[in-house]
Amino acid sequence: MTAVVRLSASLLVAARATTAPRSNYRILFLQRSHKSSAFAKAHVFPGGVWDPTLDSCGGWKSLLAHTAEPPLPADQVPEQWQQFQTTDPSSSESCVDLVTSMKLTALRETFEESGIFAWPEQPYTAQQLHNFRHRIHGDGAVLQEMIRGTLSATQPKATLGHLHPIVRYVTPTDQIKRFDSFFYLTCLDSWPEDVQEDGTETTRVHWLAPEEALEAFNKRNVYLWPPQVIRCVFRHILAHSKKFFSLVLSVVFDARALTTPRI
């Protein structure tokens, strides 16, 4: 019996670091609980499964500025998304597009799992973020409230351009649980405060430079799920310039990476 392929999204959070061995940034890894039904004990990027109610509909269109996200070719549109649109024909009018929806999934899951609200300018205090995080576990719609709080008269609608597409990865067919995962990258110029595992799905927080992650993986001190290895290798290769944001310029401005599943 073929496993159902579930839509999901993950966010690579890279923060400037002056103490990394060779790179000038570190990437956030969360260690999954040993009780997890998927990727137990693995070091992963924050992320999770797509929720059509929380991440696609319910007011997002009025909150977000329209962006010309390149649509996926018809033969690359995930089956779960096709079923969603078939079940709810009005979704094309009332809900955001697929790519925007995946970005919202990545944002929401990252905040739930780590406490990082990945926004270009942080508008909230540590205490406010703590309160939001406590609430979001029982009400995923809190993310809309948070984004609405970033708006102003000069910026009446939000954009998600700071979340850069990297790769799309589909779990191999021989796995019991399968995901069609969209990966994004965001870069922080300083270390975020009060980053903490959620204590349920994730049990530890690690900030690792690519070379540190790979060395720990080679020594079998950490278990990296395949996309983590792939992305760290690319960043390790491109880290020689020592200019932090050259990482973004060199790697992530290629929306074509999302058109072909990487298996």
Side-chain angles (χ1 to χ4, degrees), residues 237-259:
I237 293 171
L238 294 170
H240 300 297
S241 68
K242 285 296 183 180
K243 292 183 179 179
F244 177 76
F245 286 103
S246 68
L247 167 68
V248 181
L249 297 175
S250 299
V251 182
V252 303
F253 290 107
D254 184 5
R256 292 173 299 174
L258 290 181
T259 62

Side-chain angles (χ1 to χ4, degrees), residues 2-247:
T2 304
V4 175
V5 182
R6 304 177 70 188
L7 269 176
S8 66
S10 292
L11 185 62
L12 283 74
V13 181
R16 185 188 298 275
T18 58
T19 58
R22 288 187 292 276
S23 305
N24 59 347
Y25 60 94
R26 281 192 165 94
I27 296 173
L28 174 65
F29 289 88
L30 300 174
Q31 185 170 14
R32 301 274 295 175
S33 168
H34 70 281
K35 298 179 181 179
S36 296
S37 59
F39 319 121
K41 297 184 180 181
H43 285 67
V44 301
F45 306 131
V49 297
W50 168 67
D51 185 316
T53 302
L54 298 178
D55 305 328
S56 298
C57 307
W60 282 118
K61 268 200 167 181
S62 63
L63 187 60
L64 300 174
H66 175 73
T67 55
E69 297 283 5
L72 296 182
D75 62 346
Q76 296 293 336
V77 175
E79 182 178 353
Q80 190 179 0
W81 184 264
Q82 295 179 26
Q83 293 173 347
F84 165 61
Q85 292 189 311
T86 301
T87 304
D88 183 5
S90 65
S91 62
S92 59
E93 296 295 329
S94 60
C95 304
V96 296
D97 61 88
L98 169 63
V99 175
T100 300
S101 190
M102 291 299 99
K103 288 185 176 184
L104 292 172
T105 300
L107 265 181
R108 176 179 56 78
E109 288 284 346
T110 296
F111 184 61
E112 288 181 8
E113 293 184 348
S114 71
I116 292 179
F117 179 45
W119 208 249
E121 294 184 7
Q122 184 55 255
Y124 299 115
T125 65
Q127 185 59 52
Q128 287 174 317
L129 289 173
H130 175 80
N131 294 339
F132 278 130
R133 191 181 184 194
H134 178 73
R135 291 172 52 204
I136 202 170
H137 287 289
D139 180 7
V142 166
L143 183 62
Q144 285 196 20
E145 179 184 341
M146 296 178 69
I147 293 179
R148 190 174 292 110
T150 70
L151 305 181
S152 63
T154 57
Q155 187 180 356
K157 291 199 173 186
T159 63
L160 302 176
H162 62 292
L163 304 181
H164 308 287
I166 301 176
V167 74
R168 178 181 173 188
Y169 179 90
V170 180
T171 311
T173 56
D174 61 348
Q175 298 298 303
I176 297 176
K177 289 195 173 185
R178 300 188 64 208
F179 300 91
D180 188 344
S181 301
F182 290 70
F183 288 79
Y184 298 91
L185 168 70
T186 193
C187 294
L188 308 178
D189 198 41
S190 60
W191 287 75
E193 298 180 4
D194 300 323
V195 179
Q196 188 174 10
E197 66 279 0
D198 63 18
T200 304
E201 294 184 33
T202 59
T203 57
R204 293 187 69 184
V205 171
H206 296 272
W207 289 94
L208 299 173
E211 58 270 21
E212 293 173 323
L214 288 173
E215 182 178 358
F217 175 72
N218 290 333
K219 291 181 178 179
R220 299 191 177 186
N221 292 331
V222 302
Y223 164 50
L224 300 177
W225 194 47
Q228 276 77 342
V229 178
I230 296 169
R231 302 291 13 122
C232 282
V233 168
F234 284 167
R235 275 156 191 71
H236 181 51
I237 293 171
L238 294 170
H240 300 297
S241 68
K242 285 296 183 180
K243 292 183 179 179
F244 177 76
F245 286 103
S246 68
L247 167 68

